[in-house]
Amino acid sequence: MNAENNAFRRKLERGAELRAVRSWGGNAEEDAELEAADAEDREKRRKVDDAARVEYLIRDAMNQGKFDNLKYAGKPIPGLGEHYDPDWWVKGLIQREQLSGIGPPAILLRIEDAELDAKLDQQYTEKQVRDILEDFNKRVVEARRQLQGGPPVITKLRDVDAELERWRERRTAASPPEPEPEEPVKRTWWQRLWNGSG
């Protein structure tokens, strides 16, 4: 860096000498050297000015508190260090905007697969559950056959009979036990007389 500054300083001094000679009248070679030194000087000042301006703007913003309370201040940046996923932006958009029904079939099926048990628990009959599972499996097979590109379909098919059994188990576990019938309370003779019932 020092050698670079010394060389630049020598060129500036040479430019000053050439300017002095120019005022007395110089030749074309000296004028070309002078112009080259001036151009280099302007370029160096421009670079230094940009760097100084950027440094000033950053310090000024820090003093004004514009970098305080940033979204990920003091926290790890999400997705950093994970393997590269070419569809990261689609997944992020769907999650951030809470979009449903749009996107590559592979991603939509993964989301639906994660929420399928809750959807099945809302159904009242085995036929409804069976229809939902068969439709889901049909869409998984269709998505695996598509050749339009996009992320691979890794969603597994659901075994309809096994899922029906799990659905039955969840329903019986969730339903409250039937209350035992209460024994009629015997009322005293004056309670019966007072209420008018016999």
Side-chain angles (χ1 to χ4, degrees):
M1 190 73 179
N2 253 348
E4 204 174 290
N5 284 338
N6 289 337
F8 182 70
R9 187 171 289 147
R10 273 186 257 123
K11 286 183 182 181
L12 283 178
E13 289 170 357
R14 178 69 179 142
E17 288 174 12
L18 290 175
R19 275 192 217 102
V21 169
R22 185 185 218 185
S23 63
W24 293 340
N27 62 18
E29 183 182 316
E30 291 173 343
D31 287 344
E33 273 187 57
L34 181 62
E35 289 298 322
D38 283 342
E40 191 173 333
D41 182 35
R42 282 192 303 271
E43 182 65 23
K44 183 129 183 169
R45 264 194 252 131
R46 186 187 64 79
K47 286 181 182 176
V48 169
D49 289 345
D50 287 346
R53 187 174 342 127
V54 167
E55 191 67 33
Y56 169 76
L57 290 173
I58 290 173
R59 263 189 270 114
D60 188 43
M62 287 171 63
N63 290 338
Q64 291 177 11
K66 291 184 178 178
F67 294 130
D68 298 344
N69 301 323
L70 292 175
K71 185 174 183 179
Y72 295 112
K75 299 176 190 170
I77 298 173
L80 202 61
E82 295 177 4
H83 68 282
Y84 176 71
D85 183 7
D87 299 311
W88 62 270
W89 63 274
V90 175
K91 293 176 186 173
L93 178 69
I94 290 172
Q95 183 181 20
R96 188 175 53 251
E97 301 295 328
Q98 297 176 349
L99 300 175
S100 61
I102 14 183
I107 294 173
L108 295 175
L109 286 170
R110 283 186 225 167
I111 293 168
E112 187 178 349
D113 185 42
E115 300 169 351
L116 192 59
D117 287 341
K119 184 177 179 181
L120 295 177
D121 289 343
Q122 295 173 351
Q123 306 309 312
Y124 297 105
T125 65
E126 288 187 18
K127 181 180 180 343
Q128 291 173 326
V129 173
R130 184 176 295 277
D131 289 345
I132 290 172
L133 289 168
E134 288 173 354
D135 178 59
F136 176 77
N137 286 342
K138 183 177 128 191
R139 286 185 285 121
V140 169
V141 170
E142 287 174 8
R144 287 180 182 169
R145 289 183 186 155
Q146 61 116 356
L147 300 173
Q148 298 172 354
V153 179
I154 60 171
T155 307
K156 296 179 180 176
L157 294 173
R158 296 278 188 120
D159 182 8
V160 177
D161 294 329
E163 291 296 325
L164 273 170
E165 186 60 36
R166 287 182 56 222
W167 174 77
R168 284 187 208 109
E169 290 171 4
R170 287 193 306 264
R171 281 185 70 86
T172 56
S175 64
E178 292 185 22
E180 296 179 16
E182 296 180 17
E183 294 182 19
V185 179
K186 284 193 167 185
R187 295 185 299 176
T188 62
W189 65 271
W190 63 270
Q191 286 175 330
R192 288 189 305 247
L193 189 67
W194 183 261
N195 290 333
S197 60

